[in-house]
């Protein structure tokens, strides 16, 4: 079992920045990759970014490429998402997820999910 706890969401204005963090606990040695997804009101959950837990191969959705940066803080053992130049379209609940053993980090077949953190970008 892996537990995930997100933090860092909030209400910001267009052009502002936010940093999300996700702290995994439990059997973290089984994690192959971790990712961020988001769900806007009335829309399906969508992929935002992911990386292998070894630190290789970051992936980004086209809509966030160049504005968001995913990283792992090895000292704190957290997954971070630095979000710059935020837009109203970035509004939604952001979920952290863990992929166990292997698979496609860009897909949605993740094994564990956090509770989500709200990000609201006002215009």
């Amino acid at each position: 079992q892996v537990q995930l706890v997100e933090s860092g969401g909030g209400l910001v204005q267009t052009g502002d920045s936010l940093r999300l963090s996700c702290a995994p606990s439990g059997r973290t040695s089984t994690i192959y990759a971790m990712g961020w997804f988001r769900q806007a009101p009335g829309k399906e959950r969508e992929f935002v970014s992911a990386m292998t837990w070894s630190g290789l191969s970051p992936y980004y959705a086209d809509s966030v490429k160049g504005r968001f940066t995913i990283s792992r803080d090895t000292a704190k053992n957290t997954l971070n998402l630095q979000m710059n130049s935020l837009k109203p379209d970035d509004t939604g609940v952001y979920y952290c997820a863990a992929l166990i053993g292997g698979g496609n980090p860009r897909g949605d077949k993740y094994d564990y999910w956090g509770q989500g953190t709200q990000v609201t970008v006002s215009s």
Side-chain angles (χ1 to χ4, degrees):
Q1 291 275 351
V2 173
Q3 296 78 39
L4 304 170
V5 178
E6 303 103 333
S7 62
L11 170 63
V12 296
Q13 295 184 333
T14 298
D16 285 351
S17 298
L18 271 178
R19 184 179 179 87
L20 304 183
S21 292
C22 176
S25 60
R27 298 186 64 190
T28 58
S29 62
T30 63
I31 295 174
Y32 167 69
M34 292 190 68
W36 289 98
F37 293 76
R38 67 188 181 189
Q39 187 166 21
K43 295 187 178 180
E44 293 188 353
R45 186 172 60 197
E46 65 174 356
F47 170 81
V48 175
S49 182
M51 64 183 294
T52 57
W53 206 224
S54 62
L56 301 176
S57 306
Y59 305 92
Y60 297 96
D62 289 341
S63 59
V64 306
K65 203 170 293 184
R67 299 187 298 122
F68 291 12
T69 303
I70 192 170
S71 64
R72 179 186 178 188
D73 185 329
T74 54
K76 297 180 180 180
N77 199 37
T78 57
L79 178 75
N80 301 310
L81 185 68
Q82 178 65 41
M83 306 186 294
N84 298 330
S85 302
L86 283 163
K87 307 173 182 179
D89 284 349
D90 296 318
T91 294
V93 178
Y94 282 68
Y95 297 93
C96 171
L99 186 61
I100 304 301
N104 177 14
R106 293 185 65 98
D108 63 355
K109 303 300 183 184
Y110 278 67
D111 299 281
Y112 298 98
W113 296 82
Q115 292 298 308
T117 185
Q118 177 70 44
V119 172
T120 303
V121 184
S122 64
S123 57

